[in-house]
Amino acid sequence: MNLKGRDFLKLLDYTPEEIEYLLELAADLKDKKKKGIPVDHHRGKNIALIFEKTSTRTRCSFEVAAHDLGMGATYLDPSGSQIGKKESIADTARVLSSMFDGIEYRGYGQEIVEELAKYSKVPVWNGLTNEFHPTQMLADMLTIKEEFGHLKGIKLAYMGDARYNTGNSLMIACAKMGMHFNGCAPKKYWPVQELIDTAKKIAEQTGGSITLTEDAMEGTKDADVVCTDVWVSMGEPDEIWAERIADLKDYQVNSAIMKNASDKAIFMHCLPAFHDLKTKIGAEVGKKFGITEMEVTDEVFESSQSRVFEEAENRMHTIKAIIDATV
Ligand code: CP
Ligand code: NVA
């Protein structure tokens, strides 16, 4: 498998075999890291990390992975560069790809990262756009594989805002890997029809399936994996909270939902999560709307079924695999 020079912009651009290869590489790199075996054959190379939205996991994963691989990493924060203000994406791509061996980009519309890749001579990796979060998907798939030993046939229920980066991406990831995706959300939070149709077509080839339902109990019945994400994503206006809470409160992952899922079901969340009031936004929203938890209850988040921190760790190993494979 040779992925040298390839961009990683969305899972739709990758075959199931290529995704499987990246997961195997990530597992191997994880094993070597745990055993203290260095993998630093990218010494002398450098990568640029552009973040137009904030991050903990994705930024740290790219920085630690680059360091482990022997590379340098330069972080460009949401306000500290010329990008988008004084310099176009096309010009930025040509400048950065003359200095760096790979470019990570986190920002708004998917078309921006696609434009960056079009003008870049080096691989571009999507660290999250409004539409897709592909590096998160590799971590999620690795976490599920570690738990169940395989991906094919796994039933994954996604609760909540299914029309944004995480919901869209999980639907595509499931389709690609022969899994059964059940999106549980009010109709207005379903992925756009064109993407559902694309996912269904892929699932026909891989033995997976794609279902969308407004019935949370039906959608999570016997699920192996129950996933969710925040109800209001980065870049969305604060005014939307009232509507989101009203629309999505019945799609909270709580103990009734986990009991409805398979006995061996695990809970996953890309994080950060609003499972208590111990964050600034969580406390403000909680006070304003008289709630203590949002997309997931603290009980489920802290339960033995929760794999959220394993999932977070896997961000680093899988991002390392993407860098190693494509640079
Ligand atoms: N899951 C995820 O992308 O987290 P960050 O926003 O912290 O990078
Ligand atoms: N949907 C979330 C994902 C965060 C990793 C957001 O875009 O804010």
Side-chain angles (χ1 to χ4, degrees), residues 74-93:
T74 299
Y75 173 67
L76 298 164
D77 75 16
S79 60
S81 77
Q82 315 285 20
I83 300 165
K85 298 175 280 284
K86 287 172 72 182
E87 195 153 38
S88 69
I89 289 295
D91 292 355
T92 303

Side-chain angles (χ1 to χ4, degrees), residues 65-128:
H67 186 263
D68 283 358
L69 290 168
M71 298 170 140
T74 299
Y75 173 67
L76 298 164
D77 75 16
S79 60
S81 77
Q82 315 285 20
I83 300 165
K85 298 175 280 284
K86 287 172 72 182
E87 195 153 38
S88 69
I89 289 295
D91 292 355
T92 303
R94 286 174 286 183
V95 170
L96 294 183
S97 62
S98 71
M99 299 179 195
F100 291 94
D101 301 284
I103 304 169
E104 179 277 355
Y105 176 85
R106 165 173 287 198
Y108 295 86
Q110 178 71 16
E111 69 285 354
I112 304 173
V113 77
E114 303 272 352
E115 168 101 346
L116 189 67
K118 185 175 153 196
Y119 286 95
S120 169
K121 294 196 299 276
V122 298
V124 171
W125 309 296
N126 176 2
L128 177 145

